[in-house]
């Protein structure tokens, strides 16, 4: 019975080396750096030389991508067609090839020319596939001195284990790259949607004042000029800021919004300019401010008229010097962020009263854009109402057909102190209340329920007025849905044609007017 060769320290050494490989692959090292380090350890610790990692290319060739012990010119020469030489065969078959002595193997091409003829008779060559889900994604190969078949077998097993570890590393890297590519694609898609959504041409409004606003946005967007958007609360100043950013050359960079009035005065400075660790109680780590986060893009300062005097001074420096200083910081930090501000405050009056710095006002007032209140753009009301009706029909999964004539009259007669925001809230409320896909007058808020809004000449708020207006609206809507047919309209309301005709005459409604 043949005697077994006693285990040498080689087994323990292999275990130790494999442990080091695991640490390398589990670290945050770069892909090529990690694989080069593995080849180096194989050669230095396991008495091997000329370690290479080869990857198949799209042109049906195999080339050495990472090597230890080869010069740049030798690496460049290490190219094979799939199926050619030892490396090409391993790629093609997915099976390891072991050459005990390379001098006696005609398939060994030594294309790199890195081996002396005197070495070839005592040198073995091992090439194993790197398999990822049974697909060959590369090869791992080394030269090693031939000692005996047992040592050669041990080296083959070690290299196969290393190839399996590398395959998992390659797989993780591929998945990470695919996920990153997917996230980048999604990011670009969302940015494209934002650019399309907030393009100046998409701001709703055909009135002359809103056409002027769109023209102003188009002229200033491509520049880096500071813009201040002025107008009453609820007019859509933030949408104008969005349009300026997404139509600008900075659209690929962040748009950072700061709603100043919603922040406690004690936190505004930290939010805008950031802070260093220990700058104040609770500052356990350094934190970038909004200006730094908007680097390369745009920062939108909403309700800038609410800034405290101390922060106004620092904002003035940002606009003048293009640099900020964090709370607790020791020096200035350059920033590249375009400033778009908005306010509903009369800044000229605030300057006169000493509540707002004049020098800051003139720095902000380089390119003012005035957004008119809704009462000055009455022709946009129906367009906006239809837009909001469609929006909230989708949101609440309801089929909305139209806005009734009495409801339109009420919308057009109202003075809209809350501007576009108030109109939007009214349409969402009406969408929720509607049961037949039509916005009726009684679906609108009580503030719109007036005699003037309903178009009647009776005393405002009387019971007869409200009941009469409501009944007239119901009858008209039924006739519209029935295309002027009294019989069909009566059926829709669950009454008889005789009663329907009586009620229509009482409310001075001519069914013929609604025939389709």
């Amino acid at each position: 019975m043949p005697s077994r060769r006693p285990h040498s320290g080689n087994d323990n050494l292999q275990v130790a080396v494999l442990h080091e490989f695991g640490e390398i692959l589990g670290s945050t090292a770069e892909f090529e750096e990690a694989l080069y380090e593995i080849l180096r350890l194989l050669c230095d610790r396991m008495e091997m030389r000329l370690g290479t990692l080869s990857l198949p290319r799209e042109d049906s060739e195999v080339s050495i991508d990472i090597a230890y012990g080869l010069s740049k010119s030798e690496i460049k020469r290490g190219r094979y067609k799939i199926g050619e030489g030892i490396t090409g065969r391993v790629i093609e078959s997915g099976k390891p090839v072991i050459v005990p002595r390379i001098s006696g193997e005609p398939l060994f091409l030594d294309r790199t020319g890195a081996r002396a003829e005197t070495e070839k008779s005592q040198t073995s060559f091992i090439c194993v596939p790197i398999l990822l889900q049974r697909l060959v994604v590369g090869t791992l190969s080394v030269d090693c001195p031939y000692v005996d078949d047992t040592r050669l077998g041990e080296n083959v097993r070690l290299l196969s284990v290393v190839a399996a570890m590398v395959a998992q590393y390659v797989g993780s890297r591929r998945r990470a790259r695919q996920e990153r590519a997917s996230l980048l694609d999604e990011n670009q898609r969302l940015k494209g949607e934002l650019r399309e959504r907030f393009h100046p041409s998409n701001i709703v409004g055909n009135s002359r004042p809103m056409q002027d606003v769109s023209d102003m946005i188009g002229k200033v967007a491509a520049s880096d000029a500071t813009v201040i958007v002025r107008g009453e609360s609820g007019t859509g100043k933030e949408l104008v800021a969005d349009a300026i950013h997404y139509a600008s050359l900075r659209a690929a960079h962040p748009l950072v919004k700061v709603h100043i009035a919603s922040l406690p005065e004690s936190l505004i400075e930290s939010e805008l300019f950031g802070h260093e660790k220990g700058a104040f109680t609770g500052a356990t780590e350094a934190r970038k401010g909004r200006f730094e986060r908007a680097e390369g893009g745009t920062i939108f300062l909403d309700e800038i008229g609410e800034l405290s005097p101390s922060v106004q001074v620092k904002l003035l420096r940002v606009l003048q010097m293009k640099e900020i200083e964090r709370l607790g910081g020791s020096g200035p930090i350059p920033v590249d962020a375009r400033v778009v501000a908005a306010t509903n405050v009369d800044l000229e009056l605030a300057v006169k009263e000493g509540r707002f710095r004049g020098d800051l006002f003139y720095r902000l007032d380089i390119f003012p854009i005035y957004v008119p209140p809704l009462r000055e753009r009455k022709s946009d009301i129906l367009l906006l109402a239809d837009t909001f009706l469609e929006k909230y029909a989708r949101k609440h999964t309801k089929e909305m057909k139209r806005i009734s004539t009495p409801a339109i009259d009420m919308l057009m007669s109202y003075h809209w102190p809350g501007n576009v925001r108030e109109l939007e809230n009214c349409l969402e409320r009406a969408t929720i209340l509607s049961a037949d896909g039509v916005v009726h007058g009684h679906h609108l808020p009580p503030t719109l329920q007036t005699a003037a809004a309903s178009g009647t000449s009776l005393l405002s708020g009387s019971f007869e007025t409200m009941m009469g207006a409501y009944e007239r609206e119901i009858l008209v809507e039924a006739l519209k849905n029935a295309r002027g047919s009294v019989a069909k309209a009566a059926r829709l309301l669950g009454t008889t044609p005789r009663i329907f005709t009586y009620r229509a005459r009482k409310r001075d409604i001519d069914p013929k007017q609604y025939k389709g």
Side-chain angles (χ1 to χ4, degrees), residues 154-171:
E154 289 174 354
N155 287 340
V156 171
R157 286 192 293 275
L158 172 64
L159 213 61
S160 297
V161 173
V162 175
M165 294 172 71
V166 169
Q168 294 303 312
Y169 185 57
V170 170

Side-chain angles (χ1 to χ4, degrees), residues 400-476:
M400 298 301 294
K401 302 170 187 174
R402 58 192 174 84
I403 303 172
S404 72
T405 302
I408 290 173
D409 292 340
M410 294 169 71
L411 295 174
M412 295 300 294
S413 300
Y414 190 56
H415 61 291
W416 299 109
N419 293 294
V420 179
R421 186 182 296 125
E422 185 182 7
L423 174 61
E424 182 173 2
N425 292 342
C426 285
L427 266 296
E428 181 173 15
R429 176 184 189 274
T431 302
I432 294 169
L433 292 174
S434 176
D436 60 356
V438 177
V439 174
H440 299 286
H442 58 277
H443 294 145
L444 298 175
T447 50
L448 278 72
Q449 305 284 355
T450 64
S454 63
T456 66
S457 58
L458 297 176
L459 291 175
S460 174
S462 72
F463 179 75
E464 288 298 327
T465 297
M466 300 306 294
M467 289 301 295
Y470 186 34
E471 183 180 38
R472 190 177 200 285
E473 183 179 351
I474 291 172
L475 296 171
V476 168

Side-chain angles (χ1 to χ4, degrees), residues 470-512:
Y470 186 34
E471 183 180 38
R472 190 177 200 285
E473 183 179 351
I474 291 172
L475 296 171
V476 168
E477 288 303 315
L479 284 169
K480 284 181 178 179
N481 290 330
R483 297 182 177 274
S485 170
V486 172
K488 187 175 180 181
R491 284 198 302 273
L492 289 173
L493 296 179
T495 187
T496 66
R498 187 179 65 80
I499 293 176
F500 186 95
T501 302
Y502 169 75
R503 291 291 184 183
R505 285 176 182 167
K506 184 178 179 182
R507 299 300 170 193
D508 196 23
I509 299 171
D510 182 7
K512 294 177 183 178

Side-chain angles (χ1 to χ4, degrees), residues 178-193:
Q178 288 170 353
E179 288 173 4
R180 184 173 181 273
S182 177
L183 287 172
L184 286 173
D185 288 344
E186 179 69 5
N187 184 262
Q188 291 301 315
R189 184 186 68 78
L190 291 173
K191 282 183 176 179
E193 286 184 2

